[in-house]
Amino acid sequence: MPDITHEEWLRRAKALDLSGLHHIDGADEGGGGDVFAAVSPRDGQVLTQVADGGAKEVDAAVAAARRAFDSGPWPRLAPADRGRMLLRIADLLEERRAELALTVSLEMGKPITDAYDIELRAVITTFRWYGQLADKLHDESPHTAPDALALVTREPAGVVGAVVPWNFPLTLAGWKIAPALAAGCTVVLKPSENSPLSALLLGRIATEAGLPPGVLNVVNGDGPVAGRALGLHPGVDVLAFTGSTAVGRHFLHYSADSNLKRVWLELGGKSPNIVLPDAPDLEKAAATAAWGIFFNQGEMCTAPSRLLVHSSVAEQVTEAIVRRAHELRVGDPLDPTTEMGAMVGESHLERVLGHIGTGLEEGARLRAGGDRTAGGTGGSFLQPTVFDQVDPGMRLAREEIFGPVLSVLTFDDLDEAVRLANATEYGLAAGLWTSDLSTAHRVSRALKAGTVWVNCYEEGDLTVPFGGMKQSGNGRDKSVHALEKYTELKTTWIQL
């Protein structure tokens, strides 16, 4: 991040011009006049009023995307031309990086350093990667008898509805928008009502880059209203959703009740992080476990919220994490020295505190945190929290908390560790720490998770897919495989 002081970020925040208007068909729209307040979790202050969309606004956005797909230039451009447009968007995102990072930090509480260095790096890299990939895909021509020619082509699927959450409002939007655009689709994005401002700015920047009207539309609104309207809309061909498992079920129902649109889901997680006694570096394993659960205030679907540690080293590893929890700097997200910012809002903070209370009632031992912090700021701040003596049947070990709350469970042998790791309805991610290559391979294969990190956590790049198993969803974001969600396979058989 550039050398910008806390005072300078505060000054920029006061001067920031935040628009809450929908972005439909290449222009900002106010909708029907209904609004809701965008409240910053750092101090509880209203940032701006946001246009509150419903079925009418969703209809307008889908109609614009439909026109752009059916008769506009975008799907008919050469792939290289689409790629150059994505690269142009990436360049403009880079130019506006500080403004975008500040908007993300203000609206959802992420530390400004993380917003600038991690969130913006990820979304810029995503647009660049798919921009570079756009003209490097290949169709197929299978071998046939001499009197026939067979062609297998990938065609853009049509209008894509994308519904994304607030924890990584730009990264997760980019993971859906960029491959959909590269494939030739048009998009209607519905951001979370907790983080609409950065998504709206992304939509305007894409238009400024020269993206044709209607190709990317952004509609604000509540999930049960605007999200439902998008899920039920017969003009939407594909629906891509990241969020909770409960809401993911709704989108499957919406598909069944409308046009059987394809629905791709990236849902919740209760990810295990297994530490074996032969871990190459127990201190590093503990430091990474602490970083993983406290990063982004624990508001991550992949957060390693269940630490499964061998009983022989459990106290050593847990004590190192507890020390880190006490040392972690929690405070104003606009302070570059802050390591953990605010929870996304007061209602979510109360929900996480309810989970902590349940853990205490069920008999888990609180080793660190467990209460509010940064009192007097008006913000929604929580102490980094660690529980040990957690039983596998406790809600702490079963339910996704989506906060900086670690549950430590112990095991005595490898088979028990694998059983504990897989004893969840989720299957998004997992971690494993061992020095034995054979153990790494065998356990990774046994874990029911879409991603397994060995001797690290949250590593990777755009070349590898991301997604879950079981009730963590289907389909994959990132990599060339993401394009499979936004294309249709067509067979053409020519009798010669």
Side-chain angles (χ1 to χ4, degrees), residues 273-282 285 308 411 414 431-444 447 452-456:
N273 188 19
I274 304 170
V275 179
L276 300 179
D278 70 340
D281 186 335
L282 284 174
L308 311 182
F411 61 88
L414 196 55
L432 173 65
W433 296 81
T434 180
S435 294
D436 187 272
L437 185 60
S438 178
T439 298
H441 279 291
R442 288 189 291 108
V443 174
S444 295
L447 294 173
V452 178
W453 288 289
V454 179
N455 297 331
C456 61

Side-chain angles (χ1 to χ4, degrees), residues 13-81:
K14 289 181 180 178
L16 193 61
D17 183 18
L18 296 168
S19 172
L21 300 178
H22 311 292
H23 192 73
I24 299 173
D25 209 13
D28 289 344
E29 300 287 347
D34 293 334
V35 297
F36 63 90
V39 177
S40 177
R42 65 177 286 270
D43 57 8
Q45 298 299 306
V46 175
L47 295 169
T48 190
Q49 298 296 322
V50 180
D52 192 2
K56 179 182 176 182
E57 290 73 27
V58 169
D59 281 342
V62 173
R66 188 85 263 162
R67 288 192 300 272
F69 184 79
D70 290 344
S71 57
W74 186 253
R76 282 156 280 280
L77 285 178
D81 291 334

